[in-house]
Amino acid sequence: MVKQEQELDNRPDNTAFTQQRLPAWQPMLSAGIVIPGFVLIGLAFIGIGIALFVTSRSIQVLEIDYTGVAQDSPCYRCSDPDTKDCMCSMDFSIDTLFKGPVFFYYGLTNYFQNYRRYGASKDANQLSGDLKYFTNPSSDCSPYQYDNDKPIVPCGSIANSMFNDTFKLYQIVNGTRKQVPLDGKGIAWWTDYNVKYRNPSVTPLENAFNGTVKPVFWSRPAYKLDPTDPANNGFINQDFLVWMRRAALPNFRKLYRRITEGDYAEGLPAGNYTLEIAYNYPVLSFDGEKKVVFSNVSWMGGKNEFLGIAYLVIGSLCIVMSIVMLIVYAKFKFPEED
Amino acid sequence: MYSFERLFRLHSGKEHLQKKRIVVPHSTEDEELSELLKLYKGNKIRTTKYSLLSFLPKNLFEQLHRFANVYFIFLAALNFVPVVEAFQPEISVIPIILVLSVTAVKDIWEDYCRFKVDHLINRLLCHVYCSTQKTYVDKCWMDVRVGDFVRLSCNEIIPADMLLLYSSDPRGVCYIETANLDGETNLKQREVVSGLPLQGVEFTPESFCSRIECENPKNDLSRFRGYIEHSSGVRIGLQSSNLLLRSCTIRNTETVIGIVVYAGHETKAMMNNSGPRYKRSQLEKRLNMDILWCVVLLIIMCLSAAIGHGLWLKNLKDPVFQVDDETSPALAGFYVFWTMIIVLQVLIPISLYVSIEVVKLGQIYFIHNDLALYNEQLDSRIQCRALNITEDLGQIQYLFSDKTGTLTENKMVFRRCSIYGVEYPHEENGRRLEVYEAEKNEAAGQSVTLKSGCSGKSLSYRSLSCNRSSVSLHTLTAESAEEDDQVSSHVQPRTNAFCSRMEVVPDPQLVRKLKLLCSPVVHLSDCSSGNTSTLELSYITDFFLALAICNTVVVSSPSQSPHEASEIRTPLKSLEEIKQMFQRFSFSPFSALTSHSPPQIEDSPQSRASRDTKTNPDMAGQGVENLNREMDSDGDTHSELLYEAESPDEAALVHAAQAYCCTLRCRTAESLLVDLPGLGSLAVPLLHILPFDSNRKRMSVVVRHPLTGQVVVYTKGADSVIMDLAETPKEQTQKHLDSYAREGLRTLCIAKKVPLLEEYDVWLKDQLLAESSIENREELLLASAERLETNLTLLGTTGIVDRLQEEVPETIETLQRAGIKVWVLTGDKQETAINIAYACKLLHANDQLLTANCGSKNACAALLEELKLEVQCGEGSMTDLTARVESSSGSVAGFILVIDGRTLNWALQEELKSNFLELTCRCKAVICCRSTPLQKSQVVQLIRDQLGVMTLAVGDGANDVSMIQVADVGIGISGQEGMQAVMSSDFAISRFKHLSKLLLVHGHWCYSRLANMILYFIYKNVMYVNLLFWYQFFCGFSGSVMTNSWVLIFFNLIFTSIPPLIYGILDQDTPADTLMEQPELYQAAHTSKVYVPNMFWITVLDAFYQSLVCFFVPYFAFAGSDVGELSFGSPINTSALLIILLHQVIESKTLTWIHILVLVLSGGSYFGFVLLFSVLCVTCSPPTNPLGVETLQMSQPLFYIICILTIVMALLPRLLLRALHNTLHPSAVLKSDQMDRMNAGKYSRRMLCWTRSHSRGNRLSVCADNAGLEPSVAEVVS
């Protein structure tokens, strides 16, 4: 007997795995499972959809286009590319309290920050404060790599094209202009500010930029971006960081400031306002538009009606489907079994 | 000057090398010749493809031959062109590196296995003569060189092709077993080169100074030409019978010495060593078509991107974000085209090829491990030799089967015989055969008691053939270790082949008659007066003597050396007495036959038997008992005897003779030792053997009769030949022959001749002349044999049964139900073929048999037309008939075409082909008998090419090889007839019945798995790539991606690569039991193919839809917001991954913990990777640096809101369609499930009815509550 057992050493193992008899769940999508499933999904979606819709409704958004294409626009004068250091102001009014914290965005349309060659045109090592790359920027930055054989810092197209309009917001209180304090701190990503972008550890910062030139388009070198706050200069300038985080789509807005301080911590009260714009950025050449956007945010982000509606539609579709399935099931299934 | 001469000599040596090979002993003093010897290859073998140094370039070169890899390399190279680069160059190298290294690792592993085997073989030791030490020393195989003398002992393996110079056998022969070479386990005889100082004297290599000239290495195993020139100048021709082939085993010979003529890779064994099979499956061919579509799609997408980008650039008027404005829009568009090709590269599922290979390996693993395909008796599993056509098993439409050994066991067992015109039905024997079979079926596997004798024998035999190790096999099949295992596993059980003796139960009547001979009561004078004439008695004795000696069976026994003669037992009767009897018989046959035939021959055996018992009941009974007792004791003493025969028929006959106590005990060159009942051992001097050949279809032995001293010729052969040669053919015997054939037995005729002395002397002279002639010896020998084999006296015939394998009828029926047309192609006689067809249910009683036998082409053409008409008419009447027949017998009546080889030849000709095809298409089955191997393959080829169907050929013998090779799927049955069929097959099984599971379950699964996997793979790629494409509409078609490029590359290579593999290996669309129970499913799956162009486009459309959803839901959710590029991509990527994984859950028919684990791990690996990457990757991966993206995104509820919406929306249509489909067309699984539930529910239904009738209850509520959830309850209610 022992011998015979030895003889059978070729015998396959009789395990559930080798014999393909593993206990298996068969996801049989019969009507019996699908109909209740659809009903449940439908109900859940309708619930979420309603919540989203209501939330989205409660979000206030105020958009002001200041491109100045139209002749009656206060900024029409500035839209001429030959005009330098042009200032214009837009007036607007708010009917009800614009609940805070209010987010102050600037928006651009038809602007392709996601253009592949544009996106690649920067030097990550330079921006992380590596002095080696100050004198010798990456070739990715080309044609914004050197200006008259001097390395450009920060190099590249993204940095070069940095948005340089600035805004001041005034509330008109009894005919006088009361400046609304704008909070420019923490508008960039924490990781960008603390990890990704670093100034070279040279004091004063200006010395690090010796032998380099500012980007062609810029009016001031990087170490003088924010004359009011010395800590907000160089590569960790908040506006610079926001700009460097490229937008996904050609119509985008970027956070400019938040309104969180003083009398406006609760939001912008109803009333008249004036927005003073230092108009620098040319957009007309590519049919772009410039605008400012005031918005408050909720747990689901900015105002977006699409998601709520989509949830509601899909939820109702699921319910309808389950009813259809039920009918089909009843029609085709029951007679068969008689 | 010397060196010049040397060079010249070498050169001339090389020239010599080109024409023929000169071999002299290695110790030769002739410098020129020893230089020449050095030119020949050594015995070291290297089957590895690579060496350490050559691996990288060679492997790369080989891999680059594949189109897929070239594509990868092209993409990688493209990415190094700055203007078109899409990712960092190093990223685009990852896929190609990964694919190449996976393949390289596989290649290294295979090569390493080969190296190990080679090493093992090269280090084997053998005795080689050393001229300095004047003795044989141990040398490694690899050190053996041409011209060496090698001494081998019994059971040793031959290290190189050698010329046999000496054998310890006094006749100068030795036996080799060529199982390692061609799988034939019978022993082959090899002869010492003639003209050498022969036997007895120990061979001394020093004295050998002959020169051998032979042809250059050729791979023809059976051909060897050359001559040996002795020092005396005499030339002697050399044949293949002088050559010992590498990797064969020496058997039954103590010592042999030979000189190596071919070594290493120049040996015939190595030259016959071909690589593994590569076939391309149908599915793969169609897959290539779809890949072409993918290419078209890719080009369209890239073109539209290029044009889009050109237009976009053209419309831009010097924007601030413009990077450079030097390149013209057209050129930029051209660049973008290539960039897009890189970005969208995964659309062409190159990794699919690697995945398919892996999936097939997995499928093979499961096929290989299936217990149902394992044969416990032989301890052999299915062998999967072709690794890439598993799914073809699920597509078979035509099955071509050999008969002998495939449908039948090819285990020849003596069943019945007819001697002197008297039939001995051997009823007990027949019963026993049936019982044995039934028992075997019952005990499926566990060694049946009856078999124990056999297995014991085989064990002892194995201990005898100690060196039967698998090592030798490596030299032959050193391709891979796997293959070796298969081969070696194969050899061992085959020793069981010749133990059929156990199954012969003697016929009592015949035993009684035989008993008369040995019974001392018999008075010789009374013989003629008794009911059994002495003439008949002598016929019977001669018959059994012929069975025992007229063969080339080699006898061996583990206890004694083959040469040793066993001591002669004391005869029961005085020799003199017997001699007298035989002397009287020896002339009586002639007189008896010429004068009259005994009247009692016409009696029916039954009446004779009854008369027997009446007249002499006591004695007969006693006789049988005595004989039985004697046989029992014989069984003990002879159980150790082993017969090794060239054909199983021979073995069966020897065993049959042994059952009647005519035991062949020992065979030497000059004599045979035979036990005869009542006489004990007799030495029969053997004068000549005229071996079997297929032209004569017979073989003869010429012996000197041990008792009479006369020269007697015993001939055994095919009935057709012997009946012609026999002097007076007997009608009675012919009748028996016919009835045997009808029963499906294999028939052989036994005849004898006592040539007159003068006649013999004349013949002897011719024979010697023929034997010694060098030129056309074969022809002369043939003629000589034919001269002797005339005027034969027919002794009798034998019927040998070749039993049907177990479950053959069931298997054939199952296969036919599965819609597979079964053809039987056999070389056998028409009657036998038809009988087997009946036996295996290929033919039913109500089937209409069409036979096509015609002598000329015109007749054949006419016949085909006629048959076609008949079938057409028949079909008309059949249709209304079938309804009735079907209902009554359950099987559809149809036409069966039986065609013989000659007619087939005509039918296969160009003009008649189409008619023949048309006819066969209408037939349920076709039986081709008397067909040659070539015809078999022609038939398969005709069907395969003309009808464009998937064909499968199954066979076991060398004659099936061509058919197996031609068919899409070739299956070899590892049976009794050697391994040629197995060697050329794609799959080798041990039993015909395994076919049903292999095709119906594994074939079905493999096909559906692979087809679904491919579709899924294409879906996955199209779906993901389209996401990137849609983004192009929003980035000016500039080739931007919204995902980190590492994630992009890994998405296909890592995050979603394993689930499809698991899906392709483990999915079971229908449970195995259901597939086996409902063979129709095979056909159904076949007609409603999973993998058809429609399915491809539906899949692509669904992929488009899903990618649209997956892209535009996040798009609308983020439109106008401050979302960054990568933040936008994050929910898209995540939901795409989840959609792809969940899509598979929907598509899978079964989910096991392995599926779940892999799915979870895949998802987990994605999240793990992107999260880690977004934390750790500070400056890496420049254009798409992911730092902080995912961590931020995944902390926001919006991310999840988007993902959930996207996933549900994307999967909803498919989910819905699946559900609807399952409701409207419940699959077989659901149906069978329902059936089960219905059966189980019958009782409860009855109960319910009962309760309902008794209490008018809550019908409605039951219905409403359970309408959707419980079909069984619902059905009960309705």
Side-chain angles (χ1 to χ4, degrees), chain B residues 543-563:
Chain B
F543 179 81
F544 283 113
L545 190 61
L547 287 194
I549 65 172
C550 182
N551 49 49
T552 52
V553 168
V554 176
V555 190
S556 59
S557 92
S559 58
Q560 64 191 36
S561 137
H563 311 298

Side-chain angles (χ1 to χ4, degrees), chain B residues 680-723:
Chain B
S681 294
L682 291 174
V684 184
L686 181 65
L687 302 176
H688 296 281
I689 293 181
L690 311 176
F692 178 86
D693 75 61
S694 49
N695 294 322
R696 275 161 56 230
K697 290 188 179 162
R698 59 183 180 265
M699 72 157 293
S700 300
V701 288
V702 185
V703 295
R704 195 168 289 283
H705 200 283
L707 300 171
T708 61
Q710 284 170 315
V711 173
V712 185
V713 181
Y714 289 107
T715 307
K716 174 187 79 180
D719 50 352
S720 54
V721 188
I722 301 285
M723 289 309 265

Side-chain angles (χ1 to χ4, degrees), chain A residues 7 10 20 114 246 304 311, chain B residues 379 381 1040 1117 1125 1201:
Chain A
E7 264 186 289
N10 227 343
Q20 307 195 59
N114 53 17
R246 291 178 301 118
N304 190 313
Y311 264 93
Chain B
D379 188 34
R381 300 183 192 194
S1040 278
E1125 197 175 33
I1201 289 172

Side-chain angles (χ1 to χ4, degrees), chain A residues 28-338:
Chain A
M28 212 81 75
L29 292 170
S30 62
I33 300 165
V34 172
I35 293 173
F38 271 28
V39 170
L40 280 180
I41 292 175
L43 291 179
F45 265 52
I46 289 175
I48 298 173
I50 290 171
L52 285 174
F53 193 73
V54 168
T55 316
S56 181
R57 270 294 160 93
S58 69
I59 293 173
Q60 293 158 291
V61 177
L62 178 69
E63 270 189 32
I64 303 157
D65 188 315
Y66 70 95
T67 323
V69 187
Q71 291 198 356
D72 57 343
S73 165
C75 291
Y76 174 70
R77 181 176 51 89
C78 296
S79 65
D80 182 1
D82 297 330
T83 325
K84 298 283 176 218
D85 297 329
C86 179
M87 301 285 284
C88 61
S89 52
M90 304 284 289
D91 296 331
F92 63 95
S93 62
I94 294 171
D95 301 334
T96 56
L97 172 73
F98 206 103
K99 264 186 221 137
V102 178
F103 284 64
F104 181 2
Y105 300 91
Y106 61 91
L108 292 169
T109 62
N110 208 17
Y111 192 104
F112 287 83
Q113 262 206 318
N114 53 17
Y115 175 37
R116 185 173 62 83
R117 308 201 50 190
Y118 175 83
S121 182
K122 65 173 182 181
D123 186 343
N125 289 313
Q126 193 186 60
L127 294 173
S128 69
D130 195 334
L131 280 172
K132 253 194 308 189
Y133 295 89
F134 272 56
T135 49
N136 189 16
S138 156
S139 61
D140 289 338
C141 291
S142 171
Y144 300 101
Q145 191 181 4
Y146 293 103
D147 186 22
N148 296 323
D149 293 334
K150 284 199 167 170
I152 300 174
V153 177
C155 75
S157 190
I158 312 180
N160 185 61
S161 62
M162 186 178 153
F163 187 76
N164 55 3
D165 286 1
T166 50
F167 308 95
K168 279 180 181 150
L169 184 62
Y170 300 97
Q171 188 186 10
I172 314 293
V173 183
N174 306 325
T176 56
R177 299 207 306 182
K178 180 186 174 192
Q179 188 166 5
V180 179
L182 300 177
D183 176 14
K185 287 208 176 64
I187 54 172
W189 285 17
W190 185 89
T191 44
D192 286 354
Y193 184 75
N194 292 295
V195 185
K196 194 169 167 182
Y197 294 87
R198 301 274 72 195
N199 280 329
S201 47
V202 176
T203 41
L205 185 59
E206 194 177 335
N207 292 349
F209 289 80
N210 286 340
T212 66
V213 292
K214 66 178 174 59
V216 187
F217 187 69
W218 286 18
S219 51
R220 286 177 298 218
Y223 50 87
K224 282 186 189 160
L225 274 176
D226 190 353
T228 57
D229 181 4
N232 192 24
N233 273 319
F235 300 148
I236 54 167
N237 175 273
Q238 294 277 343
D239 288 323
F240 179 68
L241 292 179
V242 168
W243 181 254
M244 294 303 284
R245 178 85 28 211
R246 291 178 301 118
L249 300 167
N251 300 335
F252 61 88
R253 61 192 186 202
K254 281 180 181 287
L255 192 54
Y256 182 66
R257 293 290 183 266
R258 284 183 296 185
I259 300 168
T260 51
E261 291 165 7
D263 299 340
Y264 303 95
E266 295 301 311
L268 295 176
N272 292 325
Y273 292 85
T274 294
L275 184 68
E276 203 178 272
I277 304 152
Y279 196 111
N280 297 314
Y281 209 69
V283 293
L284 286 180
S285 65
F286 55 92
D287 294 333
E289 287 171 5
K290 297 197 285 191
K291 59 192 174 189
V292 289
V293 181
F294 297 96
S295 171
N296 44 24
V297 296
S298 67
W299 56 272
M300 57 164 282
K303 191 179 184 70
N304 190 313
E305 310 243 306
F306 166 78
L307 279 177
I309 294 169
Y311 264 93
L312 284 174
V313 168
I314 296 295
S316 349
L317 262 180
C318 281
I319 301 283
V320 171
M321 288 303 170
S322 60
I323 292 167
V324 170
M325 293 270 300
L326 199 66
I327 293 168
V328 169
Y329 188 64
K331 202 161 182 181
F332 286 87
K333 205 71 182 183
F334 296 144
E336 212 178 76
E337 284 165 8
D338 274 329

Side-chain angles (χ1 to χ4, degrees), chain B residues 412-450:
Chain B
M412 304 300 165
V413 183
F414 178 84
R415 171 69 183 79
R416 60 207 299 179
C417 64
S418 152
I419 309 169
Y420 194 57
V422 180
E423 225 269 272
Y424 300 97
H426 288 72
E427 275 158 5
E428 180 67 24
N429 193 25
R431 261 198 297 280
R432 185 152 178 184
L433 285 176
E434 278 157 29
V435 167
Y436 176 33
E437 191 155 10
E439 219 170 293
K440 191 169 58 185
N441 284 347
E442 240 172 69
Q446 292 154 24
S447 260
V448 188
T449 42
L450 267 169

Side-chain angles (χ1 to χ4, degrees), chain B residues 784-1056:
Chain B
S784 170
E786 276 177 347
R787 266 199 303 286
L788 189 65
E789 290 160 342
T790 52
N791 302 329
L792 302 173
T793 310
L794 187 67
L795 290 172
T797 65
T798 56
I800 295 169
V801 70
D802 186 8
R803 288 180 320 195
L804 225 51
Q805 284 182 17
E806 66 268 26
E807 286 175 48
V808 165
E810 291 87 344
T811 308
I812 289 195
E813 203 192 338
T814 311
L815 292 178
Q816 284 188 328
R817 275 175 66 197
I820 300 171
K821 282 203 173 184
V822 181
W823 288 34
V824 174
L825 311 177
T826 172
D828 256 336
K829 274 184 301 236
Q830 189 162 322
E831 295 80 19
T832 319
I834 292 174
N835 278 312
I836 292 288
Y838 267 118
C840 63
K841 303 265 169 66
L842 187 64
L843 263 172
H844 292 276
N846 48 11
D847 285 333
Q848 210 166 328
L849 211 60
L850 310 171
T851 41
N853 311 313
C854 30
S856 75
K857 192 172 165 186
N858 292 336
C860 178
L863 187 70
L864 284 180
E865 287 292 338
E866 192 187 315
L867 288 176
K868 244 169 66 184
L869 273 177
E870 195 181 323
V871 171
Q872 269 162 4
C873 300
E875 266 174 358
S877 60
M878 201 77 93
T879 38
D880 46 280
L881 237 164
T882 35
R884 258 176 290 152
V885 172
E886 250 183 302
S887 56
S888 60
S889 71
S891 67
V892 194
F895 292 96
I896 311 284
L897 179 69
V898 183
I899 189 164
D900 69 353
R902 209 161 33 148
T903 317
L904 191 61
N905 235 356
W906 306 123
L908 287 177
Q909 280 179 3
E910 206 55 55
E911 308 90 70
L912 301 181
K913 246 187 204 174
S914 55
N915 268 344
F916 178 61
L917 269 177
E918 214 176 306
L919 179 63
T920 53
C921 285
R922 293 168 186 274
C923 288
K924 208 174 81 177
V926 177
I927 299 164
C928 305
C929 38
R930 290 271 182 230
S931 50
T932 61
L934 183 67
Q935 279 179 333
K936 287 183 179 183
S937 67
Q938 279 174 337
V939 168
V940 178
Q941 194 158 21
L942 180 76
I943 297 295
R944 194 193 68 181
D945 295 346
Q946 299 291 318
L947 297 182
V949 291
M950 191 71 85
T951 54
L952 179 146
V954 50
D956 75 320
N959 58 342
D960 306 314
V961 168
S962 55
M963 165 170 94
I964 287 172
Q965 277 171 339
V966 164
D968 295 294
V969 181
I971 295 197
I973 299 228
S974 42
Q976 318 291 327
E977 277 194 42
M979 295 213 301
Q980 272 142 318
V982 171
M983 285 297 189
S984 57
S985 67
D986 303 314
F987 298 89
I989 52 179
S990 46
R991 280 282 179 259
F992 186 77
K993 66 171 179 181
H994 291 167
L995 268 183
S996 58
K997 174 130 198 218
L998 183 64
L999 295 186
L1000 296 186
V1001 178
H1002 288 293
H1004 180 99
W1005 278 349
C1006 287
Y1007 178 77
S1008 73
R1009 283 168 178 175
L1010 208 67
N1012 284 320
M1013 203 267 295
I1014 290 172
L1015 284 177
Y1016 176 72
F1017 219 97
I1018 291 174
Y1019 146 80
K1020 180 177 83 129
N1021 290 336
V1022 172
M1023 142 86 185
Y1024 191 67
V1025 155
N1026 267 315
L1027 296 177
L1028 303 177
F1029 183 64
W1030 304 136
Y1031 189 57
Q1032 302 309 311
F1033 286 90
F1034 303 97
C1035 68
F1037 301 98
S1038 60
S1040 278
V1041 290
M1042 65 292 197
T1043 312
N1044 177 267
S1045 33
W1046 289 88
V1047 176
L1048 201 67
I1049 291 292
F1050 282 157
F1051 196 88
N1052 209 22
L1053 286 179
I1054 292 173
F1055 307 137
T1056 60

Side-chain angles (χ1 to χ4, degrees), chain B residues 132-310:
Chain B
T132 50
Q133 293 175 38
K134 307 277 181 214
T135 178
Y136 289 93
V137 293
D138 279 350
K139 259 193 182 178
C140 291
W141 276 30
M142 58 191 248
D143 298 326
V144 173
R145 297 200 58 89
V146 172
D148 277 342
F149 292 97
V150 177
R151 188 178 66 188
L152 296 166
S153 312
C154 186
N155 296 330
E156 279 187 349
I157 300 159
I158 303 165
D161 288 358
M162 319 190 298
L163 207 57
L164 182 60
L165 297 177
Y166 166 79
S167 165
S168 61
D169 187 284
R171 283 175 304 154
V173 296
C174 85
Y175 295 95
I176 59 171
E177 192 189 73
T178 55
N180 298 336
L181 217 51
D182 55 14
E184 295 173 28
T185 46
N186 58 12
L187 299 186
K188 298 205 175 58
Q189 193 174 308
R190 290 289 188 262
E191 294 154 10
V192 169
V193 177
S194 49
L196 284 172
L198 272 184
Q199 295 69 53
V201 195
E202 181 71 26
F203 176 83
T204 44
E206 293 99 55
S207 63
F208 182 86
C209 47
S210 307
R211 188 177 128 103
I212 299 156
E213 274 190 42
C214 56
E215 60 191 357
N216 277 326
K218 290 213 174 65
N219 60 359
D220 190 347
L221 283 174
S222 57
R223 195 191 132 98
F224 175 68
R225 289 270 179 277
Y227 60 82
I228 182 164
E229 195 179 293
H230 294 303
S231 46
S232 56
V234 181
R235 283 188 176 187
I236 290 163
L238 301 174
Q239 283 87 31
S240 58
S241 64
N242 301 125
L243 195 67
L244 301 178
L245 297 174
R246 179 186 170 117
S247 77
C248 294
T249 315
I250 303 283
R251 296 265 184 235
N252 285 1
T253 317
E254 263 168 39
T255 315
V256 296
I257 294 172
I259 181 166
V260 175
V261 287
Y262 305 124
H265 287 277
E266 293 178 337
T267 58
K268 291 186 184 290
M270 294 304 292
M271 293 181 88
N272 268 290
N273 189 0
S274 60
R277 292 160 67 81
Y278 184 82
K279 276 189 181 174
R280 253 177 51 176
S281 73
Q282 293 280 318
L283 198 64
E284 240 168 282
K285 284 175 199 158
R286 204 154 55 228
L287 169 68
N288 285 342
M289 190 64 212
D290 290 342
I291 297 234
L292 270 184
W293 278 116
C294 284
V295 172
V296 170
L297 205 64
L298 175 74
I299 289 176
I300 290 175
M301 284 161 81
C302 292
L303 263 183
S304 51
I307 294 167
H309 185 65

